[in-house]
Amino acid sequence: MGNNKIRARVLKGDKVRFISHLDFLNTMNRALRRANIPIAYSQGYNPTPNISFATALAVGLTSDSEYIDFELEEDIDIQEFKDNLNQVLPQGIEILEAKQLLSKSKSLASLLRQSSYFARLELTEELSIDKLREEVANFLSQKELVIRRKRRRKKDRVFDIKPMIYRLEVIGVQSDLATIEMLIQTGSSGNLRPEEVVDALADYLEFVKPAKLVNIHRSGLYIEDNGEIIPPIEAIKR
Amino acid sequence: MTIDLANKIEEILPEVSKPTRYMGNELNMIKKDLNQVKVKFALAFPDVYEVAMSHLGIKILYHLLNEREDTVAERVYAPWVDMEQKMREHNLPLFTLENRAKVVDFDILGFTLQYEMSYTNILNMLDLAGIPLKSKDRGEEFPLVIVGGPCAFNPEPLAPFVDVVLLGEAEAAIGELVDQYLVWKDSGASKKDLLKSLSQIEGLYIPSFYEIDYNDDGEVVKFEAKNDAPEILKKRVIQNLDESYYPEKLILPYMEIVHDRVTLEVARGCTRGCRFCQAGMIYRPVRERSHERIKDLAKKLIESTGYEEISLSSLSTSDYSKIEDLAKKLLEEYKDQRVSVALPSMRVDSFSVDLAKELQAVRKTGLTFAPEAGTQRLRDVINKGINEEDLLKTTEAAFKEGWRRVKLYFMMGLPTETLEDIKGIADLAKKVAEMGDEIRRNSDNKRRVKVGVSVSTFVPKPHTPFQWSKFNTLEEIKEKQQLLRNELRGKDLSFTWTDPYLSTMEAVFARGDRRAAEVMQRAWELGAKFDGWSEHFDYQRWKQAFEESGYNLEEYVYRNFNLEGRLPWDHLEVGVDKGYLRKEYQKAIDVELTPDCRFNNCTGCGILKNLDARISLIGGENSGK
Ligand code: SF4
C-alpha cells in the first residue's frame, strides 16, 4: 500500500458554497463509494477513508482550487478515476484535474504556504479604476497594517498583516462594484483570511463596504516544494 | 416571480445559521417544471430540516408522488427562528426546497404529524405561507391542507385548521386522493364539492363534516355526521408490504441529519402488545418484507447514495423473521465497501450479543435496552414481557464482550405505579452497574462502565389500553424524579429525565379534543413555536393561552376518562376493537399478561376482521410471492 496516491484539484461551486468542510468531506466519501473507487482506509479503532484536504474552505466561499489527496487500495487509471467520480458528484462539485502522486510526498497541509483569491468589493460610490488603484497603493504603502482578530474564549489577537500580503491588485471596476485579486500567506506558519484583507481595506477606505464571504472566491493554493512555491498539482511531475 | 423569490432567498442565506437547511439541490432530489404538471403537492414536516429529512414516511411519499407524471411533490420544512425572522423582515413567503416556489401556490399541502409538540409549527408555517389558518376561511384559491401520520389518529386539536385527515398508511390512499383532486380541478366545482367527494374515499376524514360536543370530563355528548360522511372512519393499510412501493433512491443531504444512513424498513407493525404503546396498536397488522426484496433494495440504495450504513428498521427489529441471517448476509455483502449494518430497536430477550458483536466489528458504541419499568409487577402491568434475569444475562454477556456503555430506558407515571416501582428503576440500574464494574475489574479492559438511565414520563395515548389512564400530576412527576436523582448517584450511573411541563402539554394534545384548537391558536399568537425544543418551550405561555380561552389547563389535562363513555377519537378506527382495549386495560389492573400473537394464539384484537387484512411473516421465506 501507499503507492497509489492521487492528487486532485476540485471545484466547490456556487450551489454548494454553504456546505461545511465536514459536509464536503462526507459528500466526497459517499461519492467514492457510489463510483466504486477502491479508496484505502486508515487502520485502527475507527477506520476512515484516506483522503486529506490541503485546508478547509470557510462556509460561503467558492473555490476552483480545493486540493485533495486520495490514497487508493489498488492502481486505477487516472482518467477513469476522474470520469467516474465526476459522474456521481453532485452539482457544484467537480474534479478539475487529477494526477498520480509520488508516495513519499508529505501531507498537503504541512506544505501549504500561500493562497490566492478574487474578491468583489461593494462600493458606496462609483469611481474609476485608476482612482481605486491609487487608493489601494496608498493602503499598501502604510508602514503597518494592524488588524484585530476575534477568537473564541481567548483574547483578541492584534497583529500586522502587511508581511502576509504578497500581492493585492485591482482587476476591474464596474459602477459600484470592483474586483480585486490577492495572494496571501496560508498554512501552519501563518494564516491570513481573505475577508480580513477586505475588512482592513474597508477600514482604510471609507467608500469600501465590509467583506461578505459570498463575494470571495479561492483561485489558487500554493505549496513549498524544494524551495519553490508552486501549485500542488505541479509537485507531482518530479 | 419565482426567480425573484429564489434570488431573494439566496441573499438572506449568508445571514442565517446552517443555510444548508434551505439550500435544496441535494443528490437525488427531484425537480420538475412546475408548469408541466397538473397537481402540485407540497410535503411539509413541521420541524427543522435535520429532523424532517430523517423521517422515512415522507421520503416514501415524496418519491411515490413524483413517480406520477401529472404530479410534482416538493419538500418544505419549518424554518428555524433566525430564518423565519429574516423571511418576515424581507417579506418572503414560505417556499419549497426544490423550485423555491411559494407554498401558497401549491394545490395540496400535506403535513405529517409525528409529535404533538410540533403542532404550533403547523400554524406558524401556514401563516408564513400566507395561508389562512382555519379551513373555513380558505377558498379554492388556497391549497387543500391535509394531515397524516401517527398523531392523525387523534387530529381533533387540529380539526378547525385542516381540510382532510388521512388515516393510516398514506401510500395506500394518496393516489386516490390525487386522482379525485384532478377530477375536481377539471370540473371547476367548489371546495365543498371536493371535500364531499374526498369524504367518500376510505381513510379520508373531513373534520368540518362532523359536529361534535363534549361534557366537562371530555366525553363526547354529541356526534353528528353531515354531507353523507361516514360515521366510522377506517384507516388504510398496505395489504402486501413486500410488493408495495419503496424508493430505490433517497435524497442524500449535505448536512448531517438525525438519522444519517440508509433506512430500510424490514417490517411494519408489532405484535408484542405493550399496553402503553400507540405504535404497537395503530400499525397493526404486522407485515414483513422478504429477505430478497430487502437485499435488492439495500443494493440499490447503497448504489444511489453511497451511504456508509444501512439501518434495518421496524418497531421491533429483533422480531423480524430470521433477522440474524439477514443481518449477516448484508454484512458479508458490503464488507468490502465498508458499509455497516445497524439494528435499532432490539429487545432484551431476543437480543443476541453475538450478533451485536458482529455488527459492531470494531467500534463498541453503547448498547440500549428498554425494560420500561423498574419492577416485575409493573412490567407485567404494561405487558412488557421482559424479566430481570434476561436483562442481567444480556448485559453481563455484553460487559464480558467488552462493552462498557449501556443505556436503559424507563417510563414513569404508568398506571398503578408506586414509589416502590420507581425505586425499582434505581435498584435495577445499580445492579447492572455493579455487575459491570465487577466484570471490568476482572478483565483487561479497565475502562469504567457507564450506565445511563433515561426515564421519560408516560403520556397516555389514544387507541391504546391505557387511553383511559390518568396522567400524573406535576407534583407526582417531580417527586418521582427527585427520588431518582437521589438514588442514581454514583460513579458509573447517570440519569436523564424529561421536562415535566413539556410532558404535560404533550398529554394535553395527545388526548385533546376540538376545544384544544382554540388554545393552540392563542398560544401560537403569544409566540409558541418549536415547543419540542427546550429553548423555545414556555409553559407559562400555555397556561395563559388556556386562561384566555376560558379553560383551566390542569382541569383539562387531568380530566377523568370514563371506560364506558364515548372518547373524542372513537369515530376513528385503527382496527383494534375498543372492547379489546378495555379488556387489556382490565388485565393491566389485574397484573395479567397477554402473550404475543406472533408466537401464540390470536389474542382477538380484531384487526384482521376489521380491516380485512392479514398478518404476513414472510421474512424467513425465500420469496414474498
Ligand atoms: S415491542 Fe412493545 S413498545 Fe415496542 S413497538 Fe412493540 S408494542 Fe410497542
Side-chain angles (χ1 to χ4, degrees), chain A residues 15-16 18-19 22-23 27 30 33-34 36 41 44-47 73 88 90-91 214, chain B residues 14 19-20 23 25 27 252 254-255 260 303-308 337-339 362-363:
Chain A
K15 291 235 150 88
V16 289
F18 293 118
I19 75 172
L22 184 65
D23 297 341
T27 301
R30 288 164 187 166
R33 188 171 290 109
R34 289 197 301 277
N36 257 318
Y41 275 73
Y45 196 58
N46 182 12
E73 233 154 27
V88 301
Q91 271 180 11
V214 287
Chain B
T20 327
M23 233 173 48
N25 242 313
L27 188 83
L252 182 69
Y254 285 111
M255 73 188 295
D260 212 2
E303 268 170 15
S304 67
T305 61
Y307 261 128
E308 53 285 322
Q337 282 177 272
R338 311 261 179 170
V339 176
V362 219
R363 257 182 307 163

Side-chain angles (χ1 to χ4, degrees), chain B residues 270 272-274 276-277 280 315 347 384:
Chain B
C270 172
R272 292 272 166 183
C274 303
F276 57 85
C277 176
L315 288 172
R347 279 176 59 105
K384 191 97 196 174

Side-chain angles (χ1 to χ4, degrees), chain B residues 294-533:
Chain B
I294 289 162
K295 281 188 277 178
D296 180 52
L297 285 169
K299 181 162 184 291
K300 288 174 171 144
L301 287 165
I302 291 295
E303 268 170 15
S304 67
T305 61
Y307 261 128
E308 53 285 322
E309 185 171 287
I310 305 173
S311 158
L312 301 180
S313 93
S314 84
L315 288 172
S316 180
T317 298
S318 42
D319 284 339
Y320 176 83
S321 307
K322 300 195 184 150
I323 182 69
E324 294 205 16
D325 250 24
L326 178 65
K328 283 182 183 162
K329 271 185 208 138
L330 286 173
L331 265 180
E332 187 55 39
E333 181 139 7
Y334 295 105
K335 206 170 66 203
D336 292 345
Q337 282 177 272
R338 311 261 179 170
V339 176
S340 63
V341 177
L343 303 181
S345 67
M346 294 293 284
R347 279 176 59 105
V348 180
D349 48 358
S350 53
F351 188 88
S352 133
V353 173
D354 281 345
L355 182 58
K357 205 166 81 187
E358 266 185 71
L359 294 178
Q360 306 194 351
V362 219
R363 257 182 307 163
K364 290 220 164 62
T365 50
L367 286 180
T368 54
F369 303 100
E372 307 288 12
T375 58
Q376 196 56 46
R377 184 199 67 82
L378 194 53
R379 281 192 295 272
D380 290 349
V381 166
I382 63 177
N383 205 40
K384 191 97 196 174
I386 290 178
N387 59 47
E388 186 169 316
E389 213 178 298
D390 286 339
L391 176 73
L392 292 177
K393 244 184 12 217
T394 324
T395 40
E396 181 184 356
F399 286 132
K400 283 195 170 143
E401 281 299 340
W403 268 277
R404 287 294 176 261
R405 276 192 315 160
V406 167
K407 216 167 178 196
L408 303 175
Y409 284 100
F410 294 94
M411 275 188 290
M412 65 162 69
L414 290 160
T416 77
E417 181 182 274
T418 64
L419 290 182
E420 209 43 46
D421 299 302
I422 299 296
K423 232 191 121 257
I425 294 177
D427 293 343
L428 188 54
K430 282 186 208 160
K431 242 183 237 173
V432 171
E434 276 159 24
M435 176 185 67
D437 194 50
E438 182 165 339
I439 293 171
R440 172 192 79 95
R441 276 185 278 118
N442 296 322
S443 84
D444 301 337
N445 182 353
K446 293 287 180 223
R447 216 153 38 91
R448 284 203 80 100
V449 164
K450 263 207 175 112
V451 178
V453 183
S454 169
V455 184
S456 60
T457 302
F458 164 67
V459 172
K461 298 275 162 129
H463 307 289
T464 65
F466 288 168
Q467 62 180 350
W468 296 278
S469 304
K470 230 177 150 111
F471 179 67
N472 268 196
T473 63
L474 282 165
E475 287 64 41
E476 287 170 311
I477 302 172
K478 286 183 193 164
E479 185 191 0
K480 291 172 183 175
Q481 290 183 340
Q482 191 51 48
L483 177 75
L484 284 174
R485 263 193 297 271
N486 293 339
E487 289 283 330
L488 287 170
R489 281 178 227 249
K491 229 186 172 138
D492 301 329
L493 292 164
S494 69
F495 170 47
T496 53
W497 59 92
T498 43
D499 177 356
Y501 296 97
L502 186 66
S503 304
T504 303
M505 288 317 300
E506 210 182 305
V508 164
F509 288 110
R511 292 190 296 179
D513 51 40
R514 294 190 174 190
R515 295 173 294 177
E518 203 182 320
V519 179
M520 191 194 308
Q521 183 169 349
R522 186 65 200 129
W524 169 74
E525 284 162 4
L526 292 169
K529 59 189 160 197
F530 286 108
D531 286 299
W533 298 72

